Amino acid sequence: MPRRHDPERRQRIIDAAIRVVGSKGIAGLSHRSVAAEADVPLGSTTYHFTTLDELLVAALRQTNEGFAKMVASCGGLEDPRADLAAELAGWIGQWLTGDRTGVELEYELYLAALRRPALRPVAAEWTEGVAELLSPRTDPVTARALVAVVDGICLQVLLTGAPYDEGYAREVLGRVLAGAAAG
């Protein structure tokens, strides 16, 4: 039987891995579960991703791109007169009120880096990338502090199930920015 050329297979496998983690968690991820979800032979998953960590890296990179696209679509960073705290609080709100499953999935993959060192560089890319987006509006240390606050607020909302409070987020982010300006 001739081998079929399937240029989209690798992407289908990554998408399937994201769906598996979204529905079953990282513990439910296996080459077999991804192959079944992607409707590809088991050998295809191991051909494209020798280890599950390689597959998780690809999945985390793809989910990180979703946040970057959302930030890029919002704009607001270019205008130095715009209230940066309000912009960030709005981003968080847009992110958390969008596809909540996607946000939970992104954080699950992000936090998996605690136990899976292969994911740490990708998690670092995310934090560095967001800090870089903020750097034109503030200094590098404050940009990193803002990323930490955004992460903390998002994790609190996700873990407690509490509704997102944009006013609170704006106030906390504003305090970080005010402290940097005073320093």
Side-chain angles (χ1 to χ4, degrees):
M1 178 176 200
R3 191 172 186 178
R4 268 190 293 153
H5 178 66
D6 185 358
E8 303 298 319
R9 185 170 289 188
R10 183 177 194 283
Q11 185 59 52
R12 285 200 332 269
I13 292 168
I14 295 168
D15 293 342
I18 290 169
R19 288 191 303 274
V20 168
V21 172
S23 65
K24 299 177 184 175
I26 289 177
L29 185 76
S30 67
H31 280 101
R32 190 172 305 285
S33 65
V34 171
E37 180 68 27
D39 194 25
V40 300
L42 178 59
S44 289
T45 62
T46 58
Y47 171 79
H48 289 285
F49 303 97
T50 306
T51 67
L52 288 178
D53 280 353
E54 288 177 15
L55 183 54
L56 284 169
V57 164
L60 181 55
R61 276 212 167 92
Q62 183 164 311
T63 59
N64 285 350
E65 290 170 7
F67 182 77
K69 286 178 186 172
M70 189 273 303
V71 169
S73 72
C74 290
L77 284 178
E78 301 81 25
D79 184 358
R81 298 166 302 193
D83 179 350
L84 183 56
E87 291 291 325
L88 287 170
W91 291 353
I92 297 169
Q94 187 174 351
W95 197 35
L96 290 173
T97 58
D99 176 18
R100 183 74 169 244
T101 303
V103 176
E104 290 170 358
L105 168 70
E106 186 162 348
Y107 270 102
E108 184 167 0
L109 290 168
Y110 181 62
L111 293 172
L114 292 170
R115 300 273 183 215
R116 293 178 178 260
L119 294 175
R120 289 179 186 160
V122 183
E125 286 171 17
W126 184 86
T127 57
E128 291 165 9
V130 176
E132 192 175 301
L133 286 171
L134 299 173
S135 289
R137 295 288 308 276
T138 188
D139 63 277
V141 172
T142 304
R144 287 178 50 211
L146 291 169
V147 172
V149 170
V150 167
D151 267 343
I153 291 171
C154 288
L155 281 170
Q156 286 176 359
V157 169
L158 292 171
L159 294 174
T160 65
Y164 173 63
D165 183 343
E166 189 168 327
Y168 165 78
R170 188 174 44 253
E171 175 70 24
V172 171
L173 293 161
R175 288 181 185 199
V176 171
L177 290 163

